Amino acid sequence: MTGERRVTLCTPSLRTFHPLRRHLLLALVVAGLAGTPFLAHAADDYPSKPVRLIVPYPPGGATDVIGRVIAQKLSLALNQQVVVDNRAGATGNIGAAAVATAAPDGYTLLMGALTSHAINATLFAKTISYDLEKSFTPVGIVGSVPLVFVVNPTVKAQNLTDLIAIAKKSPGSLTFASSGSGSPQHLAGEMFKKMAGIDMLHVPYKGSGPAMTDLVGGQVLSMIETAPAAQGFIASGKLRALAVASKDRVSTLPDVPTAAEAGLKGFEVSSMFGILAPAGTPKAVVDKLTSEMKKALSTQDAKDALLQQGVIANYAAPADAATAIKTEVAKWAKVITDANVKAD
């Protein structure tokens, strides 16, 4: 065509580059073509040094005990020491923040009390430096600790229906204890009040120990406490169990019905625990951790070791763990907003 100008695009040959640049370009091309094998090889070599499992609470608590069981199993599976590192403070936020800002290489992991962290996401939204859903890559859920409704024997309630009837008859007269404002026990109580349409008086304590002491002594009348902390008192007759707050009955309390069986459908509260890695941790490394954790949790001795601490081993893969965390954050955000809960 008259006046047409033909433009030829030329791609330079590698020979036109400076020798050093040519080597760099070749390296990039090779890395791009062989990226997947390189990642697989990196996963094969992982871990080549000890792994830190940060527990964001003091030694001796549920999260610490669970972390030590998992650390022992992973140490054997990975043929490398997994060291528990307690970073307590700020209701778990200090330890969580340390992992969120750690190098995403698989050598720093969080033993997360995921229900508590999900509560913190709303309760401390203005002060925490990380985002539970964005700052971490889930390795998987380890298991859960069910909660149970318990009352002092002086309360004339043989079941959950009786307890609701008593609360409705005398609004505000029935007290319920918790391990502190904003704790899972506290928010479980607020959720119970909302769903049952009742008014109860919250009495916060500095930990479950003092709360249980006063509950047994009759200074407070009821509590929704973790099954491990309550089952000894239930067995001795010092407390009466009305219902467990889990989907299924608890093996250590086989005669206690679920909340749904007791007439409160949809009430499910368990403290969920899991392992998180910093966001951006290579998938191959996460996959290796996930695979070994799943194998470890499938063994009977691991299940028994966790059950001794009241933890029901219930492995969930990374994608399912991410969904569960998102659900927990949304659930507790609603409870906190509806009940106007403030942090201590």
Side-chain angles (χ1 to χ4, degrees):
M1 186 183 260
T2 306
E4 182 181 285
R5 300 177 65 186
R6 179 173 296 175
V7 179
T8 304
L9 296 177
C10 298
T11 302
S13 164
L14 285 176
R15 287 192 297 269
T16 64
F17 287 95
H18 184 279
L20 178 58
R21 292 182 180 178
R22 185 163 65 243
H23 288 311
L24 288 174
L25 181 60
L26 283 169
L28 288 171
V29 170
V30 171
L33 292 173
T36 301
F38 280 172
L39 284 176
H41 183 64
D44 288 340
D45 290 342
Y46 171 85
S48 58
K49 61 181 181 180
V51 176
R52 282 191 309 155
L53 180 61
I54 291 183
V55 173
Y57 299 99
T63 312
D64 177 66
V65 173
I66 296 167
R68 292 180 188 280
V69 171
I70 298 302
Q72 180 187 36
K73 296 299 180 183
L74 283 179
S75 294
L76 295 172
L78 297 171
N79 198 30
Q80 187 64 257
Q81 191 174 14
V82 178
V83 182
V84 172
D85 181 359
N86 295 90
R87 298 282 190 92
T91 65
N93 289 327
I94 289 177
V99 176
T101 56
D105 54 11
Y107 288 97
T108 304
L109 306 173
L110 177 68
M111 180 64 246
L114 301 181
T115 297
S116 293
H117 292 312
I119 290 169
N120 290 350
T122 296
L123 207 57
F124 299 99
K126 295 182 179 179
T127 58
I128 58 176
S129 60
Y130 62 90
D131 185 310
L132 183 61
E133 297 180 63
K134 297 179 181 178
S135 301
F136 302 98
T137 296
V139 173
I141 290 174
V142 173
S144 61
V145 175
L147 273 65
V148 58
F149 287 83
V150 286
V151 295
N152 183 279
T154 59
V155 177
K156 299 184 184 302
Q158 299 300 317
N159 52 55
L160 207 54
T161 301
D162 289 347
L163 186 67
I164 293 171
I166 292 170
K168 286 185 175 181
K169 184 176 180 180
S170 302
S173 64
L174 193 62
T175 53
F176 77 96
S178 80
S179 58
S181 293
S183 65
Q185 293 91 328
H186 172 206
L187 295 187
E190 296 293 347
M191 186 174 166
F192 173 52
K193 286 166 56 179
K194 177 78 171 179
M195 291 183 67
I198 58 176
D199 183 21
M200 297 171 67
L201 178 63
H202 174 226
V203 183
Y205 287 82
K206 292 187 179 298
S208 286
M212 293 299 284
T213 297
D214 274 9
L215 179 60
V216 170
Q219 283 76 31
V220 285
L221 298 175
S222 68
M223 187 174 181
I224 305 176
E225 177 58 297
T226 59
Q231 57 195 23
F233 296 107
I234 296 169
S236 66
K238 293 179 179 179
L239 294 176
R240 183 184 304 125
L242 304 183
V244 291
S246 50
K247 181 180 179 181
D248 302 308
R249 291 200 181 198
V250 178
S251 61
T252 53
L253 297 168
D255 297 326
V256 181
T258 65
E261 290 173 334
L264 195 63
K265 293 183 178 180
F267 189 92
E268 293 180 17
V269 181
S270 293
S271 286
M272 185 171 64
F273 297 86
I275 305 292
L276 305 178
T281 300
K283 185 178 182 300
V285 171
V286 173
D287 286 347
K288 186 166 187 177
L289 284 167
T290 297
S291 175
E292 296 303 336
M293 192 174 89
K294 182 179 180 180
K295 290 177 188 176
L297 290 173
S298 68
T299 62
Q300 193 59 49
D301 62 328
K303 291 178 181 178
D304 291 343
L306 289 172
L307 191 59
Q308 286 179 3
Q309 306 303 323
V311 183
I312 300 172
N314 184 23
Y315 169 80
D320 294 329
T323 299
I325 291 170
K326 185 174 183 177
T327 300
E328 285 285 279
V329 170
K331 178 171 76 175
W332 295 120
K334 178 171 173 46
V335 173
I336 290 168
T337 301
D338 288 349
N340 193 30
V341 175
K342 304 295 182 184
D344 282 337

